[in-house]
């Protein structure tokens, strides 16, 4: 498969992201312009909750969905605060909620706390909107914990399981994604995968597409079941599609 073909596939499954601490209205405007590039569009933009309305104004009439984050990035355990934040984000126009699982609870074996959080947010995310649960696999590290967190999220109603916030030293890894895909496959449920953080080149994106093809079967990885959470890979994807010698953009998740 050519780089241009891979890049087109990745671009259409991209959650184009700006979760920088210095994000501005102008940065959101730029992000949304990129999201509707003629080579795309991307699947979604992922922005801080305070920018959901701005993104909605920019993307009105386009198929690009608006994702935002809750319980981010720390993965706290205050369910009522997180449900309040979720309700506000949905009211502002978010189509997708990326929820950080209380991963420290998973690490200490308090699985009920993690399940309760996902279930409470699931109850709010309805009407065709999506719940993506961030496991923070770089902090869980142990394969058994990644598997356990994946199962908790899926059993509690996640539409997607996502590797990372992009705010920890280790973000997406192929090893974590493989574990997550195997849990999805074993569940028999229509759950998607979102590798996120540290994906900067066409080759990086292709690692995860290849994994999905191998484990779930060719054709499984579409924007309905597969997303790439990244900001810095966008320029490399566009360069590959246009046949330019592209390098990864400088930037962070």
């Amino acid at each position: 498969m050519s780089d241009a073909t891979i890049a087109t596939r990745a671009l259409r499954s991209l959650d184009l992201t700006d979760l920088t601490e210095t994000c501005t209205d102008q940065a959101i405007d730029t992000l949304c312009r990129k999201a509707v590039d003629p080579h795309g569009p991307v699947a979604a933009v992922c922005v801080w909750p305070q920018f959901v309305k701005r993104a909605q104004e920019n993307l009105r009439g386009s198929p690009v969905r608006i994702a935002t984050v809750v319980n981010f990035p720390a993965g706290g355990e205050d369910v009522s605060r997180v449900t309040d934040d979720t309700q506000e984000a949905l009211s502002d126009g978010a189509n997708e909620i990326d929820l950080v699982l209380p991963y420290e609870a998973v690490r200490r074996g308090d699985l009920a706390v993690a399940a309760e959080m996902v279930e409470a947010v699931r109850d709010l995310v309805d009407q065709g909107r999506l719940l993506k649960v961030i496991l923070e696999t770089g902090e869980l590290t142990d394969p058994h914990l990644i598997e356990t967190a994946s199962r908790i999220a899926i059993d509690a109603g996640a539409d997607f399981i996502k590797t990372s916030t992009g705010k920890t030293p280790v973000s997406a890894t192929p090893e974590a994604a493989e574990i997550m895909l195997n849990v999805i496959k074993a569940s028999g449920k229509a759950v998607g995968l979102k590798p996120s953080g540290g994906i900067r080149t066409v080759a990086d994106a292709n690692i995860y597409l290849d994994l999905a093809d191998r484990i779930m079967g060719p054709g499984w990885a579409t924007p309905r079941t597969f997303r790439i959470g990244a900001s810095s890979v966008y320029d490399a994807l566009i360069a590959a599609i246009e046949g330019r010698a592209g390098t990864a953009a400088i930037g962070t998740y």
Side-chain angles (χ1 to χ4, degrees):
M1 196 179 292
S2 71
D3 278 1
T5 302
I6 294 163
T8 298
R9 190 180 179 201
L11 183 70
R12 290 176 182 163
S13 289
L14 189 65
D15 281 6
L16 187 60
T17 300
D18 191 336
L19 295 171
T20 56
E21 306 302 329
T22 54
C23 187
T24 62
D25 284 346
Q26 292 68 37
I28 294 299
D29 296 345
T30 300
L31 191 80
C32 292
R33 281 195 297 275
K34 289 181 173 182
V36 294
D37 183 278
H39 294 302
V42 302
V45 295
C46 187
V47 299
W48 290 111
Q50 62 267 34
F51 294 112
V52 167
K53 284 184 177 177
R54 182 86 178 195
Q56 187 183 48
E57 290 163 11
N58 273 280
L59 294 169
R60 202 178 305 282
S62 87
V64 178
R65 296 169 67 91
I66 299 164
T68 194
V69 290
V70 297
N71 207 29
F72 187 97
E77 298 172 21
D78 185 342
V79 173
S80 62
R81 183 184 64 77
V82 175
T83 54
D84 285 350
D85 290 348
T86 301
Q87 191 60 67
E88 186 174 353
L90 295 171
S91 298
D92 285 348
N95 309 114
E96 305 183 359
I97 297 294
D98 287 29
L99 162 72
V100 183
L101 189 75
Y103 58 88
E104 288 291 355
V106 174
R107 196 147 57 174
R108 66 173 186 266
D110 200 346
L111 307 186
V113 168
E116 181 190 1
M117 175 77 75
V118 180
E119 288 165 358
V121 175
R122 169 79 276 170
D123 286 345
L124 299 173
V125 182
D126 56 4
Q127 300 173 337
R129 296 180 290 207
L130 296 178
L131 172 58
K132 308 211 264 328
V133 178
I134 305 170
L135 309 184
E136 202 64 289
T137 54
E139 292 294 295
L140 292 175
T141 64
D142 184 302
H144 175 70
L145 286 179
I146 295 170
E147 187 178 320
T148 299
S150 299
R151 282 210 193 95
I152 290 167
I154 291 170
D155 290 347
D159 295 303
F160 275 75
I161 50 176
K162 173 178 170 181
T163 59
S164 323
T165 60
K167 301 291 188 182
T168 55
V170 177
S171 290
T173 65
E175 293 77 14
E178 183 162 4
I179 293 166
M180 294 161 72
L181 283 165
N182 281 319
V183 176
I184 290 169
K185 187 172 185 178
S187 77
K189 296 182 179 178
V191 175
L193 175 76
K194 180 177 172 180
S196 59
I199 298 167
R200 296 188 173 88
T201 66
V202 175
D204 290 342
N206 195 43
I207 287 168
Y208 296 100
L209 286 164
D210 277 350
L211 266 178
D213 288 346
R214 176 167 62 80
I215 294 169
M216 304 302 293
W220 177 83
T222 72
R224 290 291 303 165
T225 53
F226 183 84
R227 302 287 181 84
I228 294 169
S231 56
S232 54
V233 76
Y234 175 88
D235 290 344
L237 297 179
I238 296 294
I241 292 166
E242 293 180 349
R244 294 182 282 114
T247 56
I250 296 170
T252 61
Y253 183 88

